[in-house]
Amino acid sequence: MTDLTTTAARPVVARFCPSPTGNPHVGMARTALFSWAFARHHGGTFVFRIEDTDAARDSEESYGLLIDVMKWLGLDWDEGPEVGGPNGPYRQSERMDIYADVAARLQEAGHAYRCFCNTDELAIRREAARAAGKSSGYDGHCRNLSAEKIAAYEAEGRPAVLRFRMPDRDITFTDLVRGDITFTADNLHDYALLRANGQPLYTLTNPTDDAMMGITHVLRGEDLLSSTPRQIALYEAFAEIGVGGGFTPEFGHLPYVTGAGNRKLSKRDPESNLLAYRDQGFLPEGLLNYLALLGWSIADDRDVFSKEEMVEVFEIGRVNPNPARFDIKKCEAINGSQVRELSIEQLAARLVPYFQSAGLVSDPISDDEREVLAAATPLVHERITLLTETVDMVRFLFVAESDFSIDEADRVKNLDDKGVGTARAAYDALSGLDQWDTASIEAALRAALIDGLGLKPRLAFGPVRVAITGSRISPPLFESLELLGRERSLSRLAAAVA
RNA sequence: GGCCCCGUGGUGUAGUGGCCUAGCACGCUGCCCUCUCAAGGCGGUAACGCGGGUUCGAAUCCCGUCGGGGCUACCA
């Protein structure tokens, strides 16, 4: 065992530290959620750090997206970009001098050495080891170079990376979600800390920052599981040279979120694009709720809950270690449940941006428009799974009469000769109404069409629905008529008849 | 190739030796409700990868095996 000091007595400090490459994806959000929930559950600190050490792949745009997504999801951070903190800066690109210093101290203390092997040589030896059925990591070629040899390489002008010298022993750690995991010494290889050009690598920057920021619990994806023993060895060296608080954090590796074919969902997969979910009308509550279900459960008979409820009972030890398939159907169902959890006022407010981007209301929204939307919201509250569905559902209330149109297939089917007759009867019944409200409208229509014409309800209201809303599928008819108003309702009925 | 992780219905999970003739949810599906669509209610469908052990008793423990995934970079 390599435990130096336990983290048990320390206040929890967890973190989320993505690198800003490409679009934020769902696996990332799940990791962020679990780390956040862990920190919040323990009343600890949640650190948000940006790992932008790879200038070739990182982008400022991606950085902005990351911030947007975290805010949209409501995963607030105590230290990090925009809020600062005692251990900043929180973007690695602004901490380069720190890494250079740590690297120098590591080398000085003998924990790291310059390796002059070039990538071709490395590849050849790696293949040879593999062919011999052996572990194929770095073979330690430059581990104990003599001063003469080093001088010779330098004279040649050979570039060198800085490599960490792994201790020659097995390393065991207790993973927070998987239990004890052991890597034997012959599978632990010296690894690069600094590129030949002096730029630090993730292998150095990530543990350095975790140590300096006092991280007690590292929750991350399973892909980093096999790099854990070498980080543990690094922490031991840190303790010796005085980097960080002298303790090693605990590690927990979250299972993958997979897509079709059980492959880990990558940033390239369209279904993993987080912003696309927002655009499609998912609620942050819905997405978060669904993501929480991937590898965790709140109870054996319940799966709709808020992130606050999650925080209350979240235990990392109860996270399931096996990979979970992202199921869009269930995600939608959960989202629908979360829509139903919203009050009418809340829902109406969430709907505004979607109506604006559809061009149905102005930006900023006017008071009149807001009023119509608020009145229409109860009609869709139990009918939608995605926010965007509302737009098509109540478009008929927002379009100018000149833009109103009826779905052609629905018109043919519902407004044939018989249907037109029904619409005419509806017009007659409605035009004489004293009170224009749902109850009066319903009473008048039932009397005229069902009692009067002897129609089945389904046949009676179909033509009216199509004439009024433009579609065979719509919100409840009588309420829709009331909201549309007498004038517009009558004119649409008249238009359908003509 | 080597190392590591994982293995309950189509999907996500509950289950930590007897409460399991395996629970819940999504999906699919039948019915009810109903002005359409939903929502809601009541049913149905379907799983412990396989083989050995240990035990009076195993989804739960052990071994093996098969299968899936990840890592194996001067990416993160």
Side-chain angles (χ1 to χ4, degrees):
Chain A
M1 293 294 291
T2 58
D3 251 347
L4 295 175
T5 318
T6 30
T7 55
R10 299 172 185 279
V12 165
V13 183
R15 48 53 156 194
F16 173 59
C17 49
S19 58
T21 61
N23 287 321
H25 66 291
V26 300
M28 198 178 251
R30 205 273 306 263
T31 302
L33 170 64
F34 280 37
S35 291
W36 176 87
F38 178 81
R40 293 289 173 254
H41 175 74
H42 292 284
T45 302
F46 184 56
V47 177
F48 182 25
R49 182 175 74 229
I50 304 293
E51 306 218 327
D52 52 350
T53 51
D54 188 351
R57 303 195 317 168
D58 299 326
S59 75
E60 201 58 25
E61 184 199 358
S62 183
Y63 165 75
L65 259 24
L66 237 23
I67 303 280
D68 281 357
V69 158
M70 290 293 278
K71 286 181 177 172
W72 178 61
L73 291 174
L75 266 21
D76 58 326
W77 56 96
D78 306 303
E79 294 180 25
E82 300 191 352
V83 306
N87 302 304
Y90 293 88
R91 291 186 69 171
Q92 293 191 329
S93 54
E94 296 168 13
R95 301 171 62 81
M96 291 302 175
D97 50 336
I98 294 174
Y99 311 128
D101 174 59
V102 172
R105 285 155 69 187
L106 247 16
Q107 186 178 355
E108 201 176 318
H111 286 115
Y113 58 90
R114 282 189 296 163
C115 167
F116 296 89
C117 301
N118 66 39
T119 50
D120 292 340
E121 294 164 346
L122 253 18
I124 290 168
R125 300 208 300 268
R126 185 162 45 234
E127 281 315 307
R130 187 189 264 245
K134 293 199 292 206
S135 179
S136 58
Y138 183 67
D139 59 4
H141 182 270
C142 298
R143 245 190 165 202
N144 300 301
L145 252 28
S146 64
E148 297 75 46
K149 194 74 180 161
I150 292 175
Y153 278 141
E154 282 175 341
E156 266 180 59
R158 271 179 93 120
V161 302
L162 186 70
R163 229 174 248 289
F164 183 72
R165 188 189 305 275
M166 285 292 285
D168 187 29
R169 61 175 164 76
D170 299 355
I171 292 182
T172 296
F173 64 97
T174 303
D175 189 280
L176 263 9
V177 343
R178 289 153 214 271
D180 287 356
I181 297 172
T182 298
F183 288 80
T184 54
D186 53 330
N187 286 300
L188 264 12
H189 308 282
D190 295 351
Y191 58 95
L193 255 18
L194 251 36
R195 291 185 168 99
N197 66 8
Q199 291 288 312
L201 291 160
Y202 158 83
T203 52
L204 202 222
T205 61
N206 176 277
T208 294
D209 288 346
D210 281 349
M212 296 184 72
M213 294 176 185
I215 304 300
T216 60
H217 298 263
V218 171
L219 264 32
R220 60 198 344 184
E222 190 189 331
D223 49 339
L224 265 7
L225 184 59
S226 42
S227 70
T228 304
R230 40 192 223 195
Q231 295 185 352
I232 287 173
L234 223 205
Y235 274 101
E236 292 170 359
F238 281 170
E240 205 183 300
I241 65 173
V243 171
F247 64 93
T248 300
E250 295 194 62
F251 295 86
H253 293 88
L254 305 173
Y256 284 116
V257 175
T258 69
N262 290 331
R263 294 251 171 227
K264 158 186 162 195
L265 223 44
S266 82
K267 295 184 182 183
R268 310 194 32 219
D269 296 314
E271 72 262 49
S272 73
N273 185 343
L274 219 39
L275 272 342
Y277 288 93
R278 180 177 62 185
D279 296 344
Q280 283 163 33
F282 278 87
L283 247 25
E285 292 93 331
L287 198 57
L288 243 24
N289 187 165
Y290 175 67
L291 256 17
L293 258 16
L294 264 24
W296 186 75
S297 64
I298 195 165
D300 60 358
D301 60 351
R302 188 160 85 104
D303 59 12
V304 176
F305 50 88
S306 68
K307 65 182 195 292
E308 288 71 25
E309 290 175 297
M310 179 183 185
V311 163
E312 227 172 287
V313 298
F314 183 76
E315 280 175 43
I316 187 65
R318 282 190 46 86
V319 171
N320 201 145
N322 47 302
R325 173 88 133 261
F326 188 89
D327 179 6
I328 189 66
K329 281 289 205 356
K330 174 117 182 184
C331 187
E332 287 173 356
I334 293 289
N335 196 67
S337 298
Q338 287 291 351
V339 167
R340 257 132 252 148
E341 294 287 315
L342 257 29
S343 69
I344 297 300
E345 294 69 30
Q346 290 172 321
L347 214 209
R350 305 292 186 99
L351 255 16
V352 173
Y354 295 92
F355 276 76
Q356 286 170 332
S357 63
L360 293 178
V361 304
S362 43
D363 185 4
I365 187 169
S366 73
D367 289 347
D368 286 353
E369 289 166 337
R370 191 186 298 282
E371 204 174 306
V372 178
L373 188 51
T377 302
L379 271 37
V380 301
H381 192 219
E382 290 191 333
R383 244 161 275 269
I384 57 169
T385 62
L386 301 178
L387 262 20
T388 42
E389 292 166 23
T390 310
V391 173
D392 285 332
M393 219 168 263
V394 299
R395 162 175 268 116
F396 72 94
L397 287 173
F398 291 84
V399 293
E401 288 311 294
S402 54
D403 289 339
F404 176 75
S405 68
I406 293 176
D407 179 89
E408 209 32 52
D410 290 343
R411 176 201 292 279
V412 176
K413 212 156 176 201
N414 293 272
L415 289 172
D416 52 7
D417 290 350
K418 204 169 168 202
V420 166
T422 308
R424 181 177 293 119
Y427 180 93
D428 292 343
L430 258 20
S431 58
L433 257 193
D434 297 332
Q435 297 269 351
W436 192 264
D437 56 54
T438 297
S440 309
I441 293 166
E442 175 167 7
L445 251 21
R446 283 190 187 279
L449 308 182
I450 297 183
D451 302 337
L453 298 181
L455 294 170
K456 294 266 189 216
R458 190 188 182 88
L459 256 34
F461 302 128
V464 183
R465 181 188 310 284
V466 169
I468 294 296
T469 70
S471 169
R472 175 177 54 86
I473 297 169
S474 83
L477 183 58
F478 315 121
E479 285 84 346
S480 297
L481 281 158
E482 179 185 336
L483 289 182
L484 227 209
R486 180 195 302 266
E487 193 184 330
R488 282 196 290 169
S489 296
L490 258 19
S491 100
R492 285 185 195 181
L493 244 15
V497 169

